[in-house]
């Protein structure tokens, strides 16, 4: 079967979060199952260095109409990697920018036009380069594909048999734009109603995608349940409940070719569950990278790697920061995003030199070093559709301390010292005291070296590779394709 992925992020070309890891890893696994997969991505400034030699255009000038003007986009052939065909949608005036979505935590003011153009360009490009049986689109940035497909393009004989699967990686980001977007993107005004794209007087990209896709998936079973409730649904819960029969939870896999301490090229030393010695070297290397060389060998190190967004729960960490600084523990944090959290981490490190250190930026190599060198990994998320870092942590023998929500709840099992079972520490209420209690349980457990090793190895033995989820997605595509022809 031919599947077209349209996404706003994809490793190794452009990444701000886990979406890029998923869109980078799932397609090659589908190819292994015998499917043909094409991935479309905007040609951002950071994609340019990945295009080697002279650019080869698969299409030179596709016309994308707007209310009073046209834009003309090219499609650059990114070639095949691991059997997957990549195409980059070239529209320099919209995509040749420093960032993907906006600068300093804000959004570019023309994001509706940027991703509207991208979605329409993908549909037009497939008519030249191959219409798939199924489009697999991801989050609000590509949610206009199903909307276009079932409205403006509904009568197109080349496209109207194609099915659409929309994966919700994060319901907290919906792509909300003013009503005038309807006209700007040349949709008929009758689309702007509450049963279609309108949501609280916004043109809501994600909502339209939920209405018009054949099947919806999200990235863990727990989150599939949660988003149907008012607490987690981000005001789309009633729409999601309405589509419950077509909503699936498929837990993300992780790419062990990139994330395995036995082979990871970013580490000072390698290690395996059988021989953990290299982890000590990784810890020393990590402490050096953060200027924390004086931390005692007996002191546990907590690692954090994250987008600094409200979703990630760092307001809870802020509430317990003073208490944590009094305990025998070191903290290393890597992240960037909302200024309030950047400031909190900078200040926390400033007042606790020698024990707490933070690097406010995006740094893939350092993220790997933290996974390997820390003893514990902290994710106190308010909500977490899947979360990849806790799954990486398991593989690296770095014990996760997480809030029991979404994929964190699905992947981490509470440590049971009597039985020697479990992989980490979980807390339930979104409360600072509950977070502190979970960290205290972890710090306690760390004192018993033998038990701690058992706990590390329990996590390292878990397998979250892509084989199983890739098969689940393939089954969804088959189902959608069957529905479309019948
Ligand atoms: P989300 O997609 O919500 O950000 P995930 O846990 O699914 O959360 O994925 C985050 C991904 O982004 C991981 O691969 C993580 O290592 C990476 N990441 C996040 N922040 C940084 C950073 N500052 N530097 C390097 N990698 C980061
Ligand atoms: C989103 C979610 C994260 C998930 C990732 C990949 O960014 O916040 O939990 O792991 O998408 O699906």
């Amino acid at each position: 079967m031919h599947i077209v992925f349209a996404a706003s992020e994809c490793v190794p070309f452009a990444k701000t979060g886990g979406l890029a890891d998923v869109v980078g890893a799932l397609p090659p696994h589908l190819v292994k199952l015998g499917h043909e997969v094409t991935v479309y991505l905007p040609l951002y400034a950071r994609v340019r260095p990945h295009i080697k030699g002279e650019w080869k255009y698969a299409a030179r000038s596709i016309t994308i109409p707007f209310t009073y003007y046209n834009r003309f986009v090219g499609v650059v052939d990114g070639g095949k990697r691991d059997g997957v065909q990549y195409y980059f949608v070239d529209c320099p005036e919209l995509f040749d920018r420093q960032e993907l979505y906006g600068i300093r935590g804000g959004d570019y003011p023309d994001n509706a036009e940027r991703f509207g153009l991208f979605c329409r360009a993908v549909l037009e490009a497939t008519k030249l380069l191959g219409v798939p049986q199924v489009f697999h689109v991801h989050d609000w940035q590509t949610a206009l594909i199903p909307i276009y497909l079932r409205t403006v393009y509904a009568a197109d004989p080349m496209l109207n048999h194609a099915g659409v699967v929309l994966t919700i990686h994060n319901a907290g980001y919906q792509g909300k734009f003013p009503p005038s977007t309807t006209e700007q993107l040349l949709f008929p005004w009758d689309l702007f109603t509450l049963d279609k794209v309108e949501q609280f007087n916004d043109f809501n990209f994600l909502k339209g995608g939920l209405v018009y896709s054949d099947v919806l998936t999200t990235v863990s079973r727990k989150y599939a349940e949660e988003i149907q409730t008012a607490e987690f649904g981000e005001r789309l819960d009633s729409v999601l409940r309405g589509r419950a029969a077509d909503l699936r939870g498929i837990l993300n896999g992780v790419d062990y070719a990139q994330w395995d301490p036995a082979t990871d090229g970013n580490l000072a030393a390698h290690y395996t569950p059988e021989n953990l010695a290299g982890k000590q070297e990784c810890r020393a290397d990590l402490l050096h990278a953060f200027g924390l060389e004086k931390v005692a060998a007996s002191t546990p190190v907590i690692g954090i790697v994250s987008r600094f967004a409200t979703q990630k729960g760092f307001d809870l960490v802020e509430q317990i920061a003073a208490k944590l600084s009094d305990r025998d523990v070191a903290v290393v944090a890597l992240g960037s995003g909302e200024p309030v959290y950047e400031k909190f981490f900078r200040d926390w490190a400033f007042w606790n030199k020698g024990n707490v250190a933070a690097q406010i930026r995006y740094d893939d190599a350092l993220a790997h070093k933290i996974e390997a060198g820390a003893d514990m990994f902290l994710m106190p998320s308010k909500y977490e559709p899947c979360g990849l870092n806790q799954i990486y942590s398991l593989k690296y023998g770095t014990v996760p301390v997480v809030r029991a929500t979404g994929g964190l709840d699905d992947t981490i099992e509470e440590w049971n010292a009597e039985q020697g079972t479990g992989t980490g520490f979980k807390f339930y209420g979104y409360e600072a005291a509950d977070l502190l209690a979970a960290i205290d349980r972890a710090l306690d457990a760390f004192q018993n070296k033998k038990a701690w090793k058992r706990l590390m190895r329990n996590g390292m033995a878990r397998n979250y590779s892509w084989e199983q989820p890739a098969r689940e997605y393939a089954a969804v595509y088959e189902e959608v394709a069957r529905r479309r022809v019948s």
Side-chain angles (χ1 to χ4, degrees):
M1 186 184 314
H2 182 199
I3 304 120
V4 159
F5 274 59
S8 57
E9 301 189 19
C10 176
V11 162
F13 308 107
K15 166 167 169 175
T16 70
L19 169 63
D21 298 66
V22 173
V23 177
L26 175 56
H29 282 89
L30 292 168
V31 168
K32 276 192 205 153
L33 294 178
H35 298 291
E36 178 189 349
V37 188
T38 309
V39 176
Y40 285 86
L41 198 68
L43 208 165
Y44 308 111
R46 65 183 69 170
V47 173
R48 291 176 174 249
H50 292 276
I51 310 172
K52 304 284 176 249
E54 204 171 311
W55 289 13
K56 225 173 85 199
Y57 279 91
R60 272 266 164 210
S61 172
I62 292 175
T63 308
I64 306 295
F66 292 92
T67 324
Y68 298 113
Y69 54 92
N70 294 329
R71 290 193 187 273
F72 302 93
V73 306
V75 178
V76 175
D77 187 343
K80 275 199 170 181
R81 300 172 188 226
D82 295 327
V84 178
Q85 172 67 49
Y86 293 91
Y87 288 122
F88 305 121
V89 172
D90 184 28
C91 182
E93 60 273 32
L94 296 187
F95 296 130
D96 190 16
R97 301 182 188 175
Q98 190 193 338
E99 291 301 328
L100 273 52
Y101 311 127
I103 37 180
R104 309 218 150 272
D107 293 325
Y108 289 127
D110 55 354
N111 274 349
E113 178 169 6
R114 295 173 77 227
F115 291 102
L117 170 133
F118 178 63
C119 289
R120 202 161 177 160
V122 169
L123 288 173
E124 289 291 342
T126 61
K127 296 210 287 175
L128 301 170
L129 304 171
V131 175
Q133 274 103 321
V134 176
F135 286 92
H136 188 172
V137 305
H138 302 263
D139 281 351
W140 71 266
Q141 294 91 338
T142 47
L144 284 190
I145 285 182
I147 311 177
Y148 273 125
L149 209 51
R150 304 293 175 236
T151 59
V152 177
Y153 285 84
D156 188 320
M158 281 190 83
L159 288 170
N160 61 10
H161 293 294
V164 187
V165 175
L166 165 72
T167 296
I168 305 158
H169 293 265
N170 195 327
Y173 300 83
Q174 300 178 1
K176 300 174 190 169
F177 300 99
S180 58
T181 309
T182 317
E183 215 164 85
Q184 183 194 14
L185 300 181
L186 298 180
F187 285 111
W189 271 110
D190 65 9
L191 197 71
F192 195 76
T193 56
L194 282 173
D195 57 335
K196 298 179 186 126
V197 303
E198 184 190 356
Q199 180 83 336
F200 300 101
N201 206 34
D202 285 325
F203 186 120
N204 186 310
F205 279 28
L206 183 61
K207 178 177 179 181
L210 300 181
V211 171
Y212 285 105
S213 297
D214 296 297
V215 167
L216 308 172
T217 73
T218 187
V219 290
S220 68
R221 290 190 217 303
K222 179 82 182 260
Y223 194 59
E225 286 166 17
E226 286 175 338
I227 49 177
Q228 297 182 52
T229 67
E231 187 186 351
F232 292 96
E234 307 279 350
R235 309 219 279 189
L236 289 177
D237 44 295
S238 68
V239 183
L240 285 156
R241 281 196 301 276
R243 296 230 46 196
D246 294 318
L247 172 62
R248 314 284 146 77
I250 301 178
L251 189 74
N252 286 332
V254 301
D255 187 358
Y256 290 126
Q258 304 289 327
W259 298 92
D260 181 351
T263 52
D264 190 333
N266 302 291
L267 308 185
H270 290 147
Y271 58 93
T272 59
E274 296 74 41
N275 185 354
L276 290 167
K279 190 165 169 72
Q280 284 311 314
E281 241 176 279
C282 291
R283 184 184 137 118
D285 179 53
L286 173 65
L287 291 175
H288 176 71
F290 277 88
L292 296 181
E293 289 90 343
K294 297 215 176 87
V295 169
S298 56
T299 303
V301 176
I302 297 181
I304 292 171
V305 178
S306 189
R307 291 186 295 114
F308 289 161
T310 306
Q311 169 199 349
K312 300 294 178 180
F314 294 119
D315 52 325
L316 293 187
V317 178
E318 186 162 11
Q319 292 172 51
I320 62 160
K323 288 191 177 120
L324 214 51
S325 308
D326 287 342
R327 286 169 168 68
D328 181 22
V329 63
V331 179
V332 297
L334 167 67
S336 64
E338 289 173 30
V340 284
Y341 304 112
E342 292 190 355
K343 181 176 181 327
F344 155 64
F345 277 105
R346 273 202 192 97
D347 291 351
W348 194 21
F350 180 82
W351 293 110
N352 293 279
K353 287 207 175 73
N355 277 329
V356 178
Q359 310 229 7
I360 308 300
R361 64 200 156 86
Y362 184 92
D363 183 335
D364 186 53
L366 192 56
H368 286 252
K369 282 180 192 289
I370 294 175
E371 287 293 1
D375 297 296
M376 300 162 192
F377 196 94
L378 184 60
M379 293 179 78
S381 304
K382 192 170 187 127
Y383 72 92
E384 195 62 73
C386 176
L388 297 173
N389 282 302
Q390 84 281 10
I391 309 180
Y392 302 147
S393 300
L394 291 174
K395 184 77 180 169
Y396 284 73
T398 301
V399 175
V401 178
V402 305
R403 176 149 182 266
T405 179
L408 296 173
D409 197 25
D410 283 356
T411 54
I412 304 304
E413 190 193 323
E414 179 79 18
W415 168 243
N416 180 324
E418 281 87 68
Q419 288 166 13
T421 57
T423 55
F425 299 88
K426 298 208 261 199
F427 65 101
Y428 288 81
Y430 192 71
E431 299 289 339
D434 296 349
L435 165 62
L436 191 60
I439 294 178
D440 280 339
R441 290 200 301 282
L443 297 181
D444 254 6
F446 187 76
Q447 298 310 315
N448 181 337
K449 290 287 158 265
K450 198 160 158 248
W452 188 260
K453 272 204 177 133
R454 170 88 185 250
L455 168 54
M456 287 168 67
R457 289 194 172 114
N458 285 353
M460 295 177 91
R462 295 285 159 109
N463 180 6
Y464 288 98
S465 65
W466 268 106
E467 275 80 35
Q468 174 59 21
R471 276 196 292 274
E472 290 180 46
Y473 277 110
V476 169
Y477 305 145
E478 306 277 358
E479 178 191 337
V480 167
R482 264 200 311 277
R483 277 204 224 169
R484 276 284 145 198
V485 277
S486 57

